[in-house]
Amino acid sequence: MPLRHSTVKITAMLALTLAVAAPAFAQDMSGMDMSGHDMSQMPGAKQSDATTMKEGEMDSMSDEAMDHDMHMGNGAMKNMSLHMAYTDLRPANDADKARAAVLVTDLQHALAKYKDYHVAEADGFKPFHPEFKQQKVVHFTRNWNGLKAMFTFNPNEPTSLLYERTPDGGYKLIGAMYTDHKGATLDQLNERVPLSVARWHRHINFCIPARGTDMKTADWTKFGPNGSIATKEACDAVGGRFYPQVFGWMVHVYPWETNPQLVWAH
């Protein structure tokens, strides 16, 4: 896999999973979806009894975890498999290939205007922590798109745009990310983007430091998106808070890749 796509995986793990919509993390993470909206307040939703977080606590935690892992270099991939789950590829078929090709072509046209990242920002796509210069790829997320994606799929309105930093301090558009709610079935994901072509992923088994912990002194080799702790039992043993899944399903697409194998690379 090219370095660029490996970097996207790390950035997605550190940035999107932790703080796509930082202010919303004052609410219970287990009630949140990719948009950062509190699902527990939606009609028919059950109120979770999971531990809630103080205002700004998760944003602080995301800063420290990202700063730690961005300085780990290749080591940032070490425990990623503990906290990522992927859909299995279904058997390839011509119908799915044709459907995916239409998605890519339509997305190329829909995103053309966003090659100028200023246009994306004007349309409500906001970069996550652009001050972290170690990020080679920055996610620009539009929360409204993420909210709508929980209920319906518009292939021309991805939740996030993926920008690669350029030497002049700007950004080059390289891809996009679609999302679905955490309870989506495999068949529902397949209806959006065929599972024979792309592998959707979700972020799982997070152990968060106990409330009141100084995030600057937390052991990020154990906690967070690259931590060694990946079970509730191990998390309980250190007094942490365990979340079996954070946010919903996600899938990346790189519509301008010339190599077909990399268009839906995860």
Side-chain angles (χ1 to χ4, degrees), residues 11 127-128 135-140 161-165 171:
T11 305
F128 173 73
Q135 293 185 78
K136 301 299 184 183
V137 176
V138 179
H139 286 69
F140 282 56
L161 305 176
L162 306 178
Y163 284 93
E164 188 174 59
R165 292 184 183 276
Y171 298 95

Side-chain angles (χ1 to χ4, degrees), residues 16-195:
L16 290 175
T17 308
L18 290 172
V20 168
F25 274 103
Q27 304 294 330
D28 176 13
M29 273 208 315
S30 67
M32 307 295 286
D33 211 271
M34 187 62 215
S35 67
H37 291 73
D38 185 1
M39 297 300 291
S40 67
Q41 302 302 315
M42 304 196 73
K46 296 181 179 179
Q47 182 66 40
S48 170
D49 61 355
T51 305
T52 56
M53 296 187 178
K54 292 181 179 180
E55 184 73 37
E57 180 182 4
M58 180 55 83
D59 196 30
S60 173
M61 188 272 280
S62 69
D63 289 355
E64 298 305 323
M66 180 175 290
D67 185 62
H68 173 271
D69 283 346
M70 284 298 180
H71 286 88
M72 288 178 63
N74 293 333
M77 301 288 287
K78 181 179 179 181
N79 292 320
M80 185 174 289
S81 61
L82 298 175
H83 304 288
M84 296 280 281
Y86 292 91
T87 57
D88 293 328
L89 280 175
R90 292 183 174 181
N93 61 84
D94 291 339
D96 281 356
K97 291 179 181 178
R99 184 157 62 94
V102 171
L103 285 175
V104 170
T105 299
D106 289 349
L107 193 60
Q108 287 175 338
H109 293 300
L111 298 189
K113 61 181 179 180
Y114 295 134
K115 289 186 177 182
D116 181 347
Y117 71 93
H118 296 100
V119 176
E121 290 183 311
D123 279 358
F125 287 92
K126 303 301 180 185
F128 173 73
H129 280 306
E131 71 274 14
F132 281 100
K133 303 303 182 182
Q134 298 94 336
Q135 293 185 78
K136 301 299 184 183
V137 176
V138 179
H139 286 69
F140 282 56
T141 296
R142 189 170 189 260
N143 289 339
W144 178 239
N145 285 8
L147 177 61
K148 290 191 293 184
M150 291 190 288
F151 305 98
T152 186
F153 179 57
N154 184 339
N156 295 332
E157 295 185 353
T159 295
S160 299
L161 305 176
L162 306 178
Y163 284 93
E164 188 174 59
R165 292 184 183 276
T166 58
D168 61 0
Y171 298 95
K172 175 186 177 182
L173 182 63
I174 61 170
M177 184 178 73
Y178 293 126
T179 61
D180 203 344
H181 64 91
K182 65 171 61 177
T185 66
L186 294 181
D187 286 340
Q188 288 172 329
L189 296 176
N190 184 67
E191 289 176 4
R192 297 190 174 200
V193 178
L195 296 183

Side-chain angles (χ1 to χ4, degrees), residues 178-251:
Y178 293 126
T179 61
D180 203 344
H181 64 91
K182 65 171 61 177
T185 66
L186 294 181
D187 286 340
Q188 288 172 329
L189 296 176
N190 184 67
E191 289 176 4
R192 297 190 174 200
V193 178
L195 296 183
S196 65
V197 174
R199 298 184 70 187
W200 289 74
H201 69 273
R202 57 194 175 108
H203 301 290
I204 60 172
N205 300 332
F206 273 45
C207 184
I208 306 303
R211 180 182 285 114
T213 300
D214 182 352
M215 297 302 166
K216 293 182 181 297
T217 62
D219 185 352
W220 296 108
T221 64
K222 297 180 179 178
F223 295 108
N226 192 49
S228 60
I229 298 176
T231 66
K232 187 177 186 305
E233 293 74 17
C235 190
D236 289 344
V238 296
R241 290 164 288 168
F242 187 73
Y243 296 92
Q245 182 173 342
V246 184
F247 295 131
W249 288 95
M250 313 169 195
V251 66

